[in-house]
Amino acid sequence: MDVRPADILVMKKPHPCGSNTMYVIRAGMDFKLRCTGCGREFMVPRNKIERRIKQIQREASENG
């Protein structure tokens, strides 16, 4: 799955605060994510996140 820093991930289940979108800070073997609702940052293993992603929202590239 092609997930890059600065992507917004729409998750299948919401964070405890109620928001289901996460901002990707770092991608690798682990993802560092920030909840867009409450601002909490956390690290999660790649295999756990890839199963829970519903949609990836990415800004249009300006190299165009």
Side-chain angles (χ1 to χ4, degrees), residues 32-62:
K32 186 167 187 179
L33 303 174
R34 180 183 300 133
C35 176
T36 57
C38 63
R40 181 168 295 242
E41 293 183 6
F42 49 93
M43 300 278 292
V44 185
R46 176 179 278 272
N47 61 355
K48 219 171 185 184
I49 285 298
E50 285 186 344
R51 286 184 277 156
R52 296 179 176 156
I53 294 174
K54 187 177 192 180
Q55 180 184 4
I56 300 173
Q57 297 174 351
R58 183 172 291 145
E59 294 294 324
S61 64
E62 297 177 9

